[in-house]
Amino acid sequence: MSVTDALTSRRSHPRLSEPAPDDAELLALIEAAASAPDHGRLRPWRLIVLRGSGREKLGEAMAADRPLTERPRQLAKALRAPLLVSIVFCPVTGSKVPRWEQLSTIASIVYGLSLALHGHGYASIWRTGDLLSAPSVRGFLDLAPAEELLGWLFVGTPSDGQAPGPRPVIDMVTKVAFHDER
Ligand SMILES: Cc1cc2nc3c(=O)[nH]c(=O)nc-3n(C[C@H](O)[C@H](O)[C@H](O)COP(=O)(O)O)c2cc1C
């Protein structure tokens, strides 16, 4: 697959099931994705991989502060893929590299990982939500006070066999300007 084909054919898949990559394959793909541009080589990121009962415990942490009626829904949310990669931003303070640039690095890595997974026949979706800063979730992931949870990359293989509809076309005329000053 060419890089351009990979870029255009990757889609976010909301319903994912087995198979997901094993730890060794996932690590190789993360290593590839970690080659994303990183101003100052600050490495302002880390990832926490959850499978099996790790996902169930995350679901319990997500459900912890919710009304009883909502809990089953929260528990189920963490089980929407066989593999969850928790995305943790670790901003480096006191650097000349501003926070937004550091955020750009971690976002590039996550996107690169989604592309690398796609190239290996898997699918993914980056999910966020209102529970990223919940103390129960942060506590379960053992985040340091300065660390920020940016969501999870849900990883697996599309379970419904359905390809998502065509991606809406972006009108490049409204997005790209060419100024030829020659
Ligand atoms: C930072 C970020 C957060 C996202 N959070 C969610 C989310 O919480 N739920 C969701 O369904 N999709 C989420 N998405 C995925 C986008 O909705 C998805 O990429 C978009 O619908 C376009 O689909 P495509 O990737 O197939 O083009 C998120 C994407 C990004 C980059």
Side-chain angles (χ1 to χ4, degrees):
M1 198 188 312
S2 75
V3 175
T4 316
D5 286 344
L7 285 166
T8 51
S9 60
R10 181 212 59 83
R11 296 302 308 268
S12 298
H13 283 267
R15 277 173 288 281
L16 297 161
S17 51
E18 296 281 5
D22 63 19
D23 286 354
E25 187 177 14
L26 179 66
L27 204 55
L29 299 180
I30 292 171
E31 208 169 348
S35 63
D38 179 358
H39 192 179
R41 297 200 175 119
L42 297 177
R43 320 285 188 233
W45 60 277
R46 67 188 183 96
L47 305 173
I48 303 167
V49 180
L50 304 172
R51 301 178 192 268
S53 63
R55 295 173 312 154
E56 285 162 23
K57 285 180 185 149
L58 173 67
E60 284 162 19
M62 287 169 134
D65 299 325
R66 295 281 157 143
L68 271 178
T69 50
E70 259 193 52
R71 286 190 189 171
R73 203 169 64 89
Q74 293 300 333
L75 286 168
K77 274 188 176 181
L79 303 177
R80 286 178 295 187
L83 169 63
L84 272 61
V85 180
S86 319
I87 304 157
V88 183
F89 180 46
C90 318
V92 176
T93 51
S95 162
K96 73 176 174 63
V97 179
R99 183 182 166 88
W100 76 264
E101 294 191 20
Q102 298 182 37
L103 269 171
S104 303
T105 291
I106 184 169
S108 302
I109 289 170
V110 175
Y111 179 47
L113 179 57
S114 73
L115 278 175
L117 286 159
H118 173 53
H120 275 235
Y122 302 107
S124 66
I125 183 168
W126 187 341
R127 289 186 183 278
T128 46
D130 58 358
L131 285 162
L132 298 181
S133 54
S136 51
V137 172
R138 290 183 58 88
F140 167 67
L141 293 172
D142 202 18
L143 302 188
E147 290 182 325
E148 197 175 321
L149 182 61
L150 303 186
W152 294 270
L153 194 65
F154 284 62
V155 179
T157 300
S159 47
D160 49 14
Q162 284 181 351
R167 192 182 258 124
V169 175
I170 301 172
D171 180 2
M172 289 301 143
V173 171
T174 66
K175 292 290 173 194
V176 184
F178 294 94
H179 290 274
D180 190 343
E181 304 289 342
R182 284 172 297 168

